[in-house]
């Protein structure tokens, strides 16, 4: 049962093969017995999940089944869930029981999902390895001595370990795509503005976007249909119809033009990674796609640009965590300054503090023009690189990560080295473009993914290409040794 | 040494929108603490701002009313600092691209040494921003209470150039702003409730010097009177300081109305770097011509235009028109009275005179007047048609004010009718003449210049006889004849 995809589960539920209550119960048991080894969940909401599963079964029997009625999923702990702790992976919000549901959470409830719990993540979504969580690191199910990637490490690991068939996650610089790649699952970051950010705890406002992680492009399409849509409570959300992503999955991709940036395919990539990505591209070619070289001249500026803009925005987004109204407050503060200083020092981890300090610096008088304003200008150039490229191609391809999963502690000593992990994924966030990663091979038993970047609001075309690839290959069906097998 | 005062004002005006500038919580004064603060106002994790359209149109209306530049594109920025009444740790405001640009504001000075003169004060700009909450330091035993009801209320901040040279000019500017925003209905301008607050930037320099002196900022002054006093004592303080060899420190000060002095603000005076940058949660505000034009078309008659009209249509003096148009309710009241009695001069006199005096005495607003414009209008009609004398009218006014009732009924019941019958008056005059033969002889013998005063004696006697009810005009006429 736990190997089933969302598509299969929906079919099974419709046929009455089993009930939502049954599969929910089975997955909860699985999580309880196996997650100690992975630490992918922060909070398990067992009673609510079972109750909701029963309600879903009841709705289905009355013919009132929503798009995802009865499907068990998990939410990254960055989404506010009413009545349930929403910690964002931080001591600062360990005691925060959200009084409201994020818009996305509400939409998915309306679609009928059954939420099993909140998944672990890098603190305040800052990280590429899920090593910065207050709740301890998440382990990669493919090799528990290695990181699952971040910041959505919990969601990616939970899906890879077959704890849930799908999970929500967020991506600011690659936090869906990179862990998906490292865990051998499929993850998608939509166009900026496609999904509401209301109730999604903010890291970098102009870059954050919520998206699905699942084992197939087909499942991502289903989840995205439920997540996408206009929300008047988010001023940056776009009012635009949500296409039927599932319907276009099987479109013919002959003539689809896939761009290969020469900056990424210049032989400087890890050789094994490069080889697997090339093979994946050949698969797409055999399905009718055309491979065309493109030029992204400002590619190497993406990481430094991001690490000016994102910290700047996060430094102000995190100012509200001050121990005054909710969240962590230090004991016996002596005065206001003490309250602020100790609450924040005691409750924020090192990476969060590092980024707040960097962000404060680049916005400060005398440095704003040289750093923040300059970075925003370069961001425009990076976006224009894609605009030019998309005149010649429909999608842009690259590896989704530098390499396979690294060992714990390998990069956490050198923040800048860790930041380089996001090399391929950051440009799509800076340009607001949709992007996804899908498994395209194993290197020494560890998964690696390929990334596709699409034009604004062309998630359908991207999913279509991914699905066609997944029809011809089976990397997405491989399971980590201790977590695969028959249901 | 002759000194010159330089004043610039920043006026914060709370807009009368139903909900806050970035959230749907209600805007309401005097509620229980934290009952009007929703998730967005509390800056809960994950919350986002959505701009209130009405706040935008109110800001544009203000700009149009003062003939200012209206920015077709304006941007919200984050102004970062930590304080418990600022939940997000930043205030969403505007900096480089505010919604309203430059304007020239013409002031007419009414009091003091500059009475009757005009002064042009330049507006630097006006922008939209959100208000902070309130910190209450009493009642909490060593702690402070934070009330976030006010947090997120829509404000326009109106910033002048440092063009004012006296406290009187500053007050005139403030009154003009007050007049405009209340006329437009975009604010209730209640300084006592904090819906309009003034920060005054004050400096002095030797007369003739081009360079500005160092300025001190006096924050959150909440009445016209206090603005005048605060500027006065601050100027004195600065002059004394400099004359004694000291230098003025650039700092924020508060006006203490009990002690009538300014003192530095309690909070730590570290120069704040606000790290402004455009708010990534909000889109730039883009206005098109048809939107601006429709607001322009819907503007009500503004104070200046109304004043001109009162002068030309009603023949009122500049002074009277000015007083009547200062506040829109007063102007509306006056016009209602005038339309009832059809005598602008009398209507103006009564509104500016008796009515205003009573309102002041009882500390009432004209909208709470116990005498309606209709009633006052009828009272004036009864003076004009001779039913009552001027003196009786005053008595009638007081009766209506304290006891209520209608004009005609009260005239009847209190016997306030004037005696105008020439026969009746004739007999009073005859009686007075008969009873005062010596004075009559003296009068007839006296030269012209001396007669006026003597005449008054006879008038007084007739009035006494008639118990004050004789029509004075008639008395004069008949007395003249008979004498």
């Amino acid at each position: 049962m736990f190997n089933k995809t969302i598509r299969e589960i929906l079919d099974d539920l419709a046929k009455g093969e089993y009930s939502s209550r049954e599969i929910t119960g089975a997955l909860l048991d699985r999580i309880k017995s196996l997650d100690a080894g992975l630490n992918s969940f922060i909070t398990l909401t067992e009673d609510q999940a079972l109750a909701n599963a029963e309600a879903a079964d009841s709705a289905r029997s009355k013919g009132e089944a929503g798009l995802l009625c009865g499907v068990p999923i998990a939410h990254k702990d960055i989404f506010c869930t009413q009545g349930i702790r929403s910690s964002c992976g931080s001591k600062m919000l360990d005691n925060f029981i959200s009084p409201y549901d994020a818009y996305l959470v509400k939409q998915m409830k309306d679609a009928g999902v059954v939420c099993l719990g909140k998944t672990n993540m890098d603190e305040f979504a800052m990280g590429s390895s899920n090593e910065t969580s207050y709740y301890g690191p998440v382990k990669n199910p493919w090799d528990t001595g290695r990181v699952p990637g971040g910041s959505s490490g919990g969601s990616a690991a939970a899906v890879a370990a077959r704890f849930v068939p799908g999970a929500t996650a967020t991506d600011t610089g690659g936090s869906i795509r990179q862990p998906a790649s490292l865990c051998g699952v499929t993850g998608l970051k939509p166009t900026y503005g496609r999904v509401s950010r209301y109730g999604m705890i903010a890291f970098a406002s102009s870059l954050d976007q919520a998206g699905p992680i699942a084992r197939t492009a087909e499942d991502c399409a289903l989840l995205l249909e439920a997540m996408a849509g206009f929300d008047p409570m988010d001023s940056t959300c776009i009012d635009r119809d949500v296409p039927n992503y599932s319907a276009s999955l099987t479109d013919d991709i002959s003539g689809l033009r896939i761009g290969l940036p020469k900056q990424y395919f210049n032989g400087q990539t890890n050789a094994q990674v490069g080889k697997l990505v090339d093979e994946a591209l050949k698969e797409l070619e055999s399905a009718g796609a055309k491979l065309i070289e493109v030029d992204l001249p400002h590619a190497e500026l993406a990481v430094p640009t991001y690490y000016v803009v994102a910290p700047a925005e996060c430094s102000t987004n995190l100012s509200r965590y001050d121990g005054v109204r909710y969240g962590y407050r230090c004991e016996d503060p002596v005065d206001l300054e003490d309250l602020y200083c100790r609450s924040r020092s005691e409750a924020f981890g090192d990476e969060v503090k590092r980024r707040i300090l960097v962000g404060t610096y680049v916005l400060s008088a005398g440095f704003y023009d040289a750093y923040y304003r300059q970075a925003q200008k370069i961001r425009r150039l990076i976006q224009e690189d894609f605009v030019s490229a998309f005149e010649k191609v429909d999608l842009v391809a690259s590896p989704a990560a530098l390499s396979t999963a690294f060992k714990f502690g390998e990069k956490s000593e050198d923040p800048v080295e860790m930041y380089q992990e996001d090399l391929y994924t950051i440009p799509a966030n800076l340009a607001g473009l949709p992007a996804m990663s899908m498994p395209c091979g194993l290197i020494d038993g560890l998964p690696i993914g390929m990334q596709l970047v699409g034009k604004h609001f062309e998630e359908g075309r991207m999913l279509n290409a991914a699905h066609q690839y997944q029809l011809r290959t089976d990397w997405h069906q491989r399971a980590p040794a201790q977590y695969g097998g028959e249901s | 040494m002759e000194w010159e005062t330089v004043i610039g004002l920043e006026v914060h005006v709370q807009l009368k929108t139903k909900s806050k500038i970035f959230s749907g919580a209600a805007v309401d004064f005097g509620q229980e603490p934290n009952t009007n603060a929703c998730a967005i106002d509390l800056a809960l994790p994950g919350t986002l701002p959505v701009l209130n359209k009405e706040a935008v149109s109110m800001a544009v209306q203000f700009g149009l009313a003062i003939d200012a530049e209206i920015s077709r594109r304006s941007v919200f920025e984050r102004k970062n600092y930590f304080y418990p009444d600022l939940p997000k740790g930043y205030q969403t405001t505007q900096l480089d691209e505010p919604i309203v640009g430059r304007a020239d504001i013409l002031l007419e000075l009414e009091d003091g040494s500059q009475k009757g003169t005009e002064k042009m004060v330049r507006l630097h700009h006006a922008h939209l921003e959100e208000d902070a909450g309130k910190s209450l330091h009493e009642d909490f035993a060593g702690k402070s209470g934070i009330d976030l009801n006010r947090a997120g209320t829509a404000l326009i901040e109106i910033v002048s150039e440092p063009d004012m040279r006296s406290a009187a000019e500053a007050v005139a500017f403030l009154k003009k702003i007050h007049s405009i925003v209340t006329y437009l209905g975009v604010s209730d301008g209640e300084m006592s409730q904090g819906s309009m607050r003034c920060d005054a930037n004050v400096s002095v320099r030797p007369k003739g010097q081009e360079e500005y002196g160092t300025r001190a900022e006096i924050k959150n002054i909440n009445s016209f009177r206090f603005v005048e006093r605060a500027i006065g004592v601050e100027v004195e303080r600065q002059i004394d300081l400099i004359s004694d060899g000291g230098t003025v420190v650039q700092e924020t000060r508060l006006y203490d109305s009990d002690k009538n002095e300014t003192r530095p603000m309690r909070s730590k005076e570290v120069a704040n770097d606000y790290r402004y940058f455009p708010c990534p949660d909000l889109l730039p505000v883009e206005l098109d011509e048809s939107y601006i034009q429709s607001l322009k078309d819907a503007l009500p008659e503004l104070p200046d235009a109304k004043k001109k009209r009162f002068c030309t249509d009603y023949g009122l003096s500049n002074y009277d028109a000015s007083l009547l148009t200062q506040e829109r309710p007063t102007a509306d009241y006056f016009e209602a009275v005038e339309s009832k009695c059809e005598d602008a001069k009398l209507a103006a006199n009564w509104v500016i005179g008796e009515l205003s005096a009573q309102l002041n005495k009882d500390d009432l607003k004209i909208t709470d007047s116990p005498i309606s414009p209709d009633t006052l209008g009828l009272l004036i009609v009864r003076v004009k048609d001779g039913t009552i004398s001027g003196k009786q009218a005053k008595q009638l006014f007081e009766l209506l004010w304290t006891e209520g009732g209608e004009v005609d009924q009260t005239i009847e019941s209190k016997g306030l009718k004037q005696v105008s019958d020439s026969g009746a008056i004739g007999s009073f005059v005859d009686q007075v003449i008969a009873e005062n033969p010596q004075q009559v002889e003296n009068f007839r013998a006296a030269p012209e210049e001396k007669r006026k005063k003597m005449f008054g004696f006879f008038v007084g006697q007739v009035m006494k006889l008639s118990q004050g009810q004789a029509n004075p005009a008639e008395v004069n006429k008949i007395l003249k004849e008979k004498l």
Side-chain angles (χ1 to χ4, degrees):
Chain A
M1 217 190 266
F2 54 80
N3 259 324
K4 302 268 184 173
T5 64
I6 294 175
R7 175 78 268 153
E8 287 166 347
I9 291 169
L10 282 169
D11 290 341
D12 291 347
L13 289 173
K15 282 186 261 168
E17 294 272 331
Y18 44 80
S19 65
S20 174
R21 171 72 179 73
E22 280 175 76
I23 186 168
T24 298
L27 289 174
L28 283 167
D29 288 341
R30 184 175 166 78
I31 294 166
K32 285 190 289 186
S33 69
L34 295 174
D35 194 40
L38 294 181
N39 199 27
S40 65
F41 277 83
I42 291 174
T43 302
L44 207 60
T45 51
E46 200 171 342
D47 294 336
Q48 276 142 316
L50 293 170
N52 288 338
E54 278 172 17
D57 286 328
S58 162
R60 185 177 280 280
S61 68
K62 291 197 209 128
E64 292 161 9
L67 178 69
L68 296 170
C69 186
V71 174
I73 56 118
H75 282 304
K76 181 175 179 179
D77 211 11
I78 198 172
F79 295 105
C80 288
T81 41
Q82 186 173 27
I84 299 167
R85 172 176 56 187
S86 304
S87 75
C88 216
S90 180
K91 180 176 181 178
M92 182 58 83
L93 294 177
D94 178 48
N95 69 358
F96 179 67
I97 311 289
S98 177
Y100 75 104
D101 273 337
Y103 187 73
L104 174 153
V105 169
K106 240 188 322 155
Q107 274 184 290
M108 293 193 77
K109 261 186 194 167
D110 290 345
V113 303
V114 175
C115 173
L116 303 195
K118 311 294 290 297
T119 58
N120 204 345
M121 52 182 284
D122 275 311
E123 187 183 3
F124 281 105
M126 300 181 203
S128 308
S129 65
N130 220 134
E131 289 174 285
T132 69
S133 170
Y134 172 61
Y135 300 94
V138 175
K139 305 199 175 84
N140 191 320
W142 293 84
D143 178 343
T144 54
R146 293 176 185 267
V147 304
S151 61
S152 311
S155 287
V159 170
R162 276 82 178 141
F163 290 166
V164 280
T168 58
T170 62
D171 188 313
T172 305
S175 293
I176 287 177
R177 296 159 283 155
Q178 184 251 19
S181 171
L182 267 50
C183 288
V185 292
T186 305
L188 183 148
K189 177 201 87 69
T191 309
Y192 183 82
R194 177 79 274 187
V195 179
S196 168
R197 291 187 299 114
Y198 193 83
M200 193 175 116
I201 298 173
F203 160 22
S205 317
S206 73
L207 300 163
D208 293 342
Q209 196 57 195
I213 292 181
R215 293 194 291 275
T216 64
E218 184 177 39
D219 282 359
C220 284
L222 283 167
L223 289 170
L224 187 60
E225 269 166 46
M227 292 166 78
F230 178 63
D231 177 14
M233 298 286 277
D234 174 357
S235 302
T236 59
C237 194
I238 311 284
D239 190 357
R240 192 174 165 130
D241 287 340
V242 180
N244 185 335
Y245 297 119
S246 306
S248 51
L249 288 173
T250 48
D251 288 353
D252 184 3
I253 61 167
S254 331
L256 182 72
R257 301 163 303 166
I258 301 182
L260 309 184
K262 61 187 196 204
Q263 287 80 6
Y264 297 155
F265 292 88
N266 54 7
Q268 286 185 343
T269 334
N270 175 309
Q272 290 168 296
V273 171
K275 180 164 165 288
L276 287 169
V277 171
D278 281 342
E279 281 170 19
L281 289 167
K282 284 205 178 62
E283 275 302 334
L284 286 166
E285 238 184 340
S286 68
K290 300 253 171 304
L291 305 181
I292 300 167
E293 187 186 77
V294 292
D295 190 8
L296 299 176
H298 300 92
E300 65 172 359
L301 294 174
V303 173
T305 300
Y306 175 85
Y307 280 102
V308 166
V309 174
E313 293 180 6
C314 96
S315 73
T316 69
N317 284 331
L318 269 64
S319 293
R320 63 189 61 195
Y321 305 111
D322 54 11
V324 174
R325 298 167 309 293
Y326 54 80
Y328 181 87
R329 181 191 276 208
C330 65
E331 266 188 50
D332 303 321
V334 160
D335 59 18
L336 184 62
E337 185 164 327
D338 186 38
L339 173 74
Y340 285 153
C341 289
R342 272 201 295 133
S343 298
R344 290 165 67 84
S345 301
E346 289 167 16
F348 283 145
D350 284 347
E351 185 58 33
V352 168
K353 286 178 186 162
R354 182 174 293 124
R355 297 201 193 189
I356 290 174
L357 289 171
V358 170
T360 305
Y361 180 82
V362 302
L363 288 176
S364 59
F367 298 106
Y368 176 84
D369 287 334
Y371 290 104
Y372 187 79
R373 179 172 266 148
Q374 189 72 351
Q376 290 283 57
K377 289 181 184 174
I378 297 171
R379 182 177 183 172
R380 171 65 63 93
L381 295 177
I382 291 171
Q383 189 174 341
E384 284 168 6
D385 282 356
F386 278 95
V387 170
S388 304
F390 281 131
E391 281 165 15
K392 294 163 61 178
V393 298
D394 307 305
L395 296 174
V396 170
S398 73
L402 285 181
S403 181
T404 53
F406 46 93
K407 293 208 178 88
F408 284 110
E410 205 177 298
K411 302 202 181 184
S412 50
E413 294 306 299
D414 184 351
V416 177
E417 199 192 329
M418 182 73 85
Y419 296 161
Q420 295 300 331
E421 270 297 296
D422 302 327
L423 175 70
Y424 298 116
T425 49
I426 277 173
N429 299 88
L430 290 172
L433 297 166
M436 66 183 292
S437 84
M438 68 213 89
C440 67
L442 293 170
I443 299 170
D444 299 329
L446 295 169
I448 187 71
M450 173 173 78
Q451 175 180 245
L452 293 174
V453 180
K455 292 184 200 170
H456 290 122
F457 298 106
E458 290 197 358
E459 287 83 354
R461 200 198 284 270
M462 211 168 55
L463 285 161
N464 171 214
H467 182 71
Q468 290 297 342
Y469 175 74
Q470 290 181 344
L471 285 175
R472 286 164 174 74
T473 57
D474 70 351
W475 296 114
H476 60 287
Q477 288 166 339
R478 307 289 183 92
Q482 281 97 348
Y483 300 93
E486 290 308 298
S487 50
Chain B
M1 165 86 89
E2 255 204 273
W3 294 95
E4 182 175 52
T5 303
V6 174
I7 304 161
L9 294 181
E10 287 162 23
V11 188
H12 291 87
V13 175
Q14 275 185 0
L15 297 178
K16 250 166 74 168
T17 51
K18 285 204 205 80
S19 59
K20 297 184 178 179
I21 190 172
F22 296 119
S23 83
V27 177
D28 216 349
F29 181 78
Q31 299 300 311
E32 280 298 299
N34 296 312
T35 47
N36 279 342
C38 69
I40 297 167
D41 305 321
L42 291 168
L44 291 190
T47 51
L48 295 171
V50 178
L51 181 58
N52 183 325
K53 282 192 209 135
E54 191 61 22
V56 175
S57 60
M58 286 185 173
V60 174
Q61 281 174 62
F62 173 75
L64 291 169
I66 56 171
D67 215 16
E69 292 169 13
I70 307 292
S71 301
R72 299 306 189 256
R73 188 191 132 101
S74 63
V75 172
F76 283 101
E77 311 229 6
R78 294 185 180 178
K79 175 181 181 182
N80 297 279
Y81 64 95
F82 285 93
Y83 202 64
D85 65 10
L86 192 68
K88 294 190 294 295
Y90 60 84
Q91 178 197 30
T92 306
T93 177
Q94 297 186 308
L95 185 72
D96 291 335
E97 294 180 75
I99 190 161
V100 172
R102 303 189 172 286
D104 291 320
I105 300 191
L106 184 63
L107 308 174
E108 282 178 22
L109 298 150
E110 327 161 340
D111 329 286
S113 55
Q114 293 169 275
K115 181 169 173 169
T117 55
E118 281 187 350
K119 167 86 185 185
M120 184 74 85
V121 172
R122 294 167 301 160
L123 185 84
H124 184 269
H125 77 273
H127 67 259
L128 280 167
E129 62 180 24
E130 57 180 342
D131 210 346
K134 279 202 188 127
S135 308
L136 304 150
H137 306 291
E138 295 140 20
D139 308 332
F140 288 99
K143 298 187 183 176
S144 295
I146 307 296
D147 175 11
L148 295 174
N149 281 349
R150 198 181 68 179
T153 304
L155 294 177
I156 32 171
E157 180 173 337
I158 300 163
V159 182
S160 80
E161 298 278 11
D163 287 350
M164 287 155 275
R165 296 286 172 268
S166 71
E169 288 177 13
V171 173
F173 179 84
L174 208 52
K175 283 191 170 162
K176 182 105 191 206
I177 298 292
H178 182 272
S179 180
I180 293 170
V181 301
T182 51
Y183 257 75
L184 290 171
V186 303
S187 176
D188 61 30
E190 284 295 341
M191 291 190 81
S192 58
Q193 290 179 357
S195 46
M196 188 164 131
R197 316 189 288 262
C198 178
D199 297 343
N201 290 296
V202 181
S203 68
V204 298
R205 64 185 174 187
K207 211 163 185 120
Q209 178 179 298
E210 258 202 67
E211 227 177 76
Y212 288 133
T214 311
R215 66 171 195 270
E217 182 184 16
I218 313 170
K219 278 195 91 66
N220 287 335
I221 316 171
N222 63 352
S223 85
F224 297 126
R225 198 165 302 142
F226 292 167
V227 166
E228 189 158 20
R229 289 203 206 139
I231 293 175
V233 299
E234 178 61 18
V235 165
E236 247 182 70
R237 181 191 77 88
Q238 290 190 13
I239 291 176
D240 286 345
L241 183 58
I242 300 172
S243 305
D244 286 345
T247 40
V248 176
V249 172
Q250 183 172 332
E251 61 183 350
T252 314
R253 299 176 75 86
L254 289 173
Y255 175 65
D256 183 333
S257 55
D258 295 325
K259 296 196 183 137
N260 195 31
E261 63 183 23
T262 64
R263 52 183 163 74
M265 271 181 92
R266 254 184 303 136
S267 56
K268 237 198 307 194
E269 260 322 297
V270 180
N272 260 319
D273 174 7
Y274 294 115
R275 304 191 303 284
Y276 286 94
F277 76 105
C279 181
D281 287 329
L282 291 165
L283 303 179
V285 181
E286 276 163 347
L287 307 174
D288 64 38
E289 298 309 319
S290 62
Y291 171 81
I292 295 174
Q293 189 60 49
S294 67
L295 287 177
K296 205 170 191 172
D297 293 339
L299 284 179
E301 187 182 34
L302 293 165
D304 287 350
K306 205 185 275 285
K307 193 176 83 160
K308 280 203 183 77
R309 183 168 66 79
F310 278 17
C311 290
T312 44
D313 288 6
Y314 296 122
L316 295 177
S317 71
N318 203 43
Y319 180 74
D320 283 356
S322 197
L323 285 178
L324 289 171
T325 56
Q326 178 87 42
E327 307 287 325
R328 191 162 154 193
T330 309
D332 291 344
Y333 190 102
F334 161 77
E335 288 203 279
V337 173
E338 195 279 340
S339 84
K340 181 84 183 174
C341 71
E342 292 176 344
D343 189 323
K345 189 63 192 152
L346 280 179
N349 286 348
W350 276 93
V351 172
I352 294 171
E354 286 298 313
L355 183 67
S356 291
Q358 275 295 349
L359 290 169
N360 276 342
K361 206 167 100 184
D362 292 356
D363 199 21
L364 286 174
K365 289 219 259 303
I366 200 167
T367 41
D368 297 325
S369 160
I371 295 179
S372 72
D374 240 31
T375 304
L376 183 54
L378 185 56
L379 182 153
I380 296 172
V381 168
R382 291 290 170 255
V383 173
K384 288 184 67 152
D385 67 21
T387 310
I388 53 176
S389 67
K391 198 159 159 209
Q392 288 169 320
K394 288 208 170 93
Q395 289 173 271
L396 176 60
F397 183 89
E398 273 185 43
L399 285 166
L400 292 169
W401 185 274
T402 44
E403 296 173 14
E406 298 297 323
V407 170
D408 289 332
Q409 281 93 306
T410 311
I411 290 175
E412 266 315 313
S413 63
K414 302 286 180 176
L416 284 173
K417 272 214 190 95
Q418 198 171 220
V419 176
S420 300
D421 172 49
S422 43
I425 294 182
S427 18
F428 285 135
V429 171
D430 289 340
Q431 200 178 325
V432 167
I433 289 176
E435 287 174 2
N436 298 280
Q438 190 59 54
Q439 282 86 335
V440 175
E441 227 185 272
N442 293 347
F443 181 83
R444 287 180 176 150
E448 192 60 44
E449 324 82 68
K450 290 225 169 119
R451 277 192 174 190
K452 272 210 174 86
K453 214 170 172 190
M454 292 175 149
F455 191 77
F457 166 75
F458 293 106
V459 173
Q461 290 302 304
V462 174
M463 293 308 283
K464 216 158 92 185
L465 249 185
S466 71
Q467 288 168 321
Q469 289 184 336
N471 183 328
E474 278 296 304
V475 169
N476 278 6
K477 186 169 125 217
I478 294 173
L479 253 181
K480 270 208 181 95
E481 281 172 17
K482 300 218 172 198
L483 282 173

